[in-house]
């Protein structure tokens, strides 16, 4: 086992050497050349008849990248991680990270979940507890790579998306479209040895072109050229959930956005409101929330950021017709 970890670490360092050699050339395409993607469908059993009449939605921050999104009878869980302070996760290549906080909700206290959105397959986003205890019939939308891992774990309802693929969700009269948007877990030379990542665009409402509410979840990404295609395809983002933390592998190589990157992302995708998540929860997170707050203030963006403590809830109102 020790030899195997050394070999894995050597491979990782080789990739980092490629990263040091210079940035890769952009692979982004002109907007007209970007594929439209495939469309999949998920029909959920209708809830209570009055559920679709609710006029507000909520986002509850549980910790790390885990949030509960509720809208018109639909309950969505993102990147489920319910480990506790002192627990460790494995990140591959013999690397581990220790959790520094507790989740705001225990796994067994969750409400019934209609859909899980999983940005990628890492233990700090889909931990061993969740792998063992989450119902195998829970619908999960994620990358194609993650879906293969979920298949081996026995999950039955997997929706594997590549960039610009869409999942159309219906529950009674409630409508949601989840679109996979670009994300990359680190610089080009590093990301090839890390899981494939997807960002997600959530369009609530019957007409995805004029949604009642549009929410962007960044996933574990850095800012790179393909991010600019997101606001081109999805203008008018109401709320962005940004994965921050400035995660460092081997203490040196950044693979998620730090405070400065988070502000740059805001300036690119231009959400009306932003909620930072995925910070301070693991010891590989090297950019504290305070750094993002300083960058936000320096950029004059304080009015557009909502800071949630673990367990806090943000209430949003759909656009008026």
């Amino acid at each position: 086992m020790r030899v195997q970890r050394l070999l894995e670490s050597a491979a990782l360092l080789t990739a980092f050497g490629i990263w040091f050699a210079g940035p890769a050339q952009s692979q982004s395409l002109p907007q007209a050349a970007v594929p439209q993607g495939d469309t999949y469908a998920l029909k959920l059993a209708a809830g209570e008849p009055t559920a679709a009449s609710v006029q507000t939605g909520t986002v509850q921050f549980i910790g790390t990248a885990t949030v509960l999104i509720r809208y018109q009878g639909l309950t969505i869980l993102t990147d489920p991680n319910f480990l506790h302070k002192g627990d460790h996760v494995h990140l591959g290549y013999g690397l581990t990270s220790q959790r520094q906080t507790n989740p705001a909700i225990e796994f067994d206290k969750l409400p019934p979940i209609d859909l899980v959105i999983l940005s990628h397959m890492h233990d700090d986003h889909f931990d061993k507890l969740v792998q063992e205890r989450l119902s195998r019939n829970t619908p999960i939308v994620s990358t194609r790579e993650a879906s293969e891992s979920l298949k081996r774990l026995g999950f039955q309802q997997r929706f594997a998306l590549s960039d610009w693929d869409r999942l159309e969700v219906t529950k009674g009269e409630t409508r949601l479209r989840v679109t996979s948007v670009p994300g990359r877990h680190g610089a080009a030379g590093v990301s090839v040895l890390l899981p494939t990542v997807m960002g997600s665009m959530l369009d609530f409402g019957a007409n995805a072109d004029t949604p009642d509410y549009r929410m962007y979840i960044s996933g574990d990404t850095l800012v790179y050229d393909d991010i600019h295609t997101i606001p081109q395809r999805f203008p008018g983002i109401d709320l962005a959930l940004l994965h921050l933390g400035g995660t460092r592998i081997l203490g040196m190589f950044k693979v998620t956005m730090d405070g400065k990157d988070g502000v740059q992302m805001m300036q690119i995708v231009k959400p009306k409101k932003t909620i930072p998540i995925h910070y301070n929860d693991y010891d590989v997170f090297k950019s504290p929330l305070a750094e993002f707050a300083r960058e936000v203030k320096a950029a004059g963006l304080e009015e557009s950021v909502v800071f949630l403590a673990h367990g806090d809830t943000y209430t949003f109102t759909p656009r008026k017709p």
Side-chain angles (χ1 to χ4, degrees):
M1 179 64 71
R2 179 177 174 81
V3 172
Q4 178 65 26
R5 289 187 174 183
L6 288 172
L7 290 172
E8 291 175 338
S9 296
L12 189 60
L13 286 169
T14 299
F16 290 153
I18 295 171
W19 180 81
F20 265 126
Q25 295 298 311
S26 170
Q27 299 299 311
S28 60
L29 299 172
Q31 185 177 1
V34 175
Q36 293 302 303
D38 297 323
T39 300
Y40 304 89
L42 171 63
K43 186 175 182 179
L44 300 167
E48 295 296 324
T50 58
S53 66
V54 177
Q55 295 304 306
T56 60
T58 60
V59 175
Q60 184 178 18
F61 181 39
I62 297 175
T64 190
T66 308
V67 301
L68 266 177
I69 302 167
R70 306 190 213 209
Y71 182 77
Q72 294 189 348
L74 192 63
T75 303
I76 302 163
L77 181 66
T78 72
D79 293 293
N81 181 227
F82 290 88
L83 298 182
H84 290 79
K85 184 176 181 179
D87 291 338
H88 287 79
V89 293
H90 296 276
L91 304 177
Y93 302 99
L95 304 175
T96 63
S97 181
Q98 184 181 62
R99 183 147 188 177
Q100 308 295 299
T101 62
N102 289 317
I105 299 175
E106 296 299 322
F107 179 83
D108 60 5
K109 300 298 184 183
L110 286 172
I113 301 299
D114 293 304
L115 179 68
V116 169
I117 297 177
L118 176 61
S119 65
H120 66 295
M121 197 63 163
H122 251 160
D123 278 5
D124 61 325
H125 291 255
F126 201 81
D127 64 47
K128 299 300 185 186
L129 181 152
V130 173
Q131 292 176 31
E132 293 172 1
R133 297 174 60 184
L134 184 66
S135 169
R136 268 32 188 181
N137 290 321
T138 304
I140 304 176
V141 57
S142 193
T143 65
R144 296 187 181 278
E145 180 183 51
S147 292
E148 286 300 313
S149 297
L150 293 168
K151 180 179 180 180
R152 291 192 291 271
L153 290 168
F155 289 95
Q156 301 299 310
Q157 295 197 71
R158 307 174 309 277
F159 297 91
L161 305 187
S162 299
D163 283 355
W164 313 121
D165 288 348
R166 302 172 296 277
L167 176 65
E168 301 277 3
V169 182
T170 61
K171 184 178 182 182
E173 296 184 8
T174 301
R175 300 290 184 272
L176 165 67
R177 173 185 283 186
V178 181
T179 304
S180 173
V181 299
R184 193 177 71 191
H185 207 345
V190 177
S191 65
V192 296
L193 290 177
L194 294 173
T196 304
V197 169
M198 77 171 195
S200 301
M201 194 67 66
L202 280 58
D203 285 320
F204 294 94
N207 189 341
D209 294 326
T210 56
D212 296 340
Y213 199 79
R214 173 166 282 168
M215 185 184 303
Y216 168 55
I217 307 173
S218 71
D220 279 13
T221 188
L222 294 182
V223 178
Y224 69 113
D225 286 353
D226 288 359
I227 296 297
H228 291 269
T229 63
I230 296 173
Q232 293 172 9
R233 298 282 291 266
F234 294 95
I237 295 171
D238 295 292
L239 177 66
L241 306 180
L242 300 187
H243 291 205
L244 301 179
T247 308
R248 299 269 173 172
I249 299 297
L250 300 179
M252 298 183 291
F253 302 99
K254 184 171 64 176
V255 296
T256 66
M257 292 183 286
D258 59 18
K260 186 174 182 179
D261 297 325
V263 167
Q264 186 181 1
M265 179 69 85
M266 291 173 63
Q267 292 168 335
I268 293 171
V269 302
K270 295 180 171 59
K272 295 175 184 175
K273 294 290 183 180
T274 295
I275 297 175
I277 60 176
H278 194 268
Y279 60 82
N280 295 3
D281 290 287
Y282 279 92
D283 58 10
V284 290
F285 296 173
K286 302 301 183 183
S287 174
L289 182 63
E291 179 182 305
F292 176 66
R294 287 195 299 271
E295 295 291 343
V296 165
K297 184 176 181 179
L301 295 172
E302 300 102 312
E303 293 300 318
S304 63
V305 177
V306 178
F307 294 97
L308 297 181
H310 289 46
D312 283 355
T313 297
Y314 172 73
T315 300
F316 62 86
T317 303
R319 304 170 186 174
K320 295 182 179 179

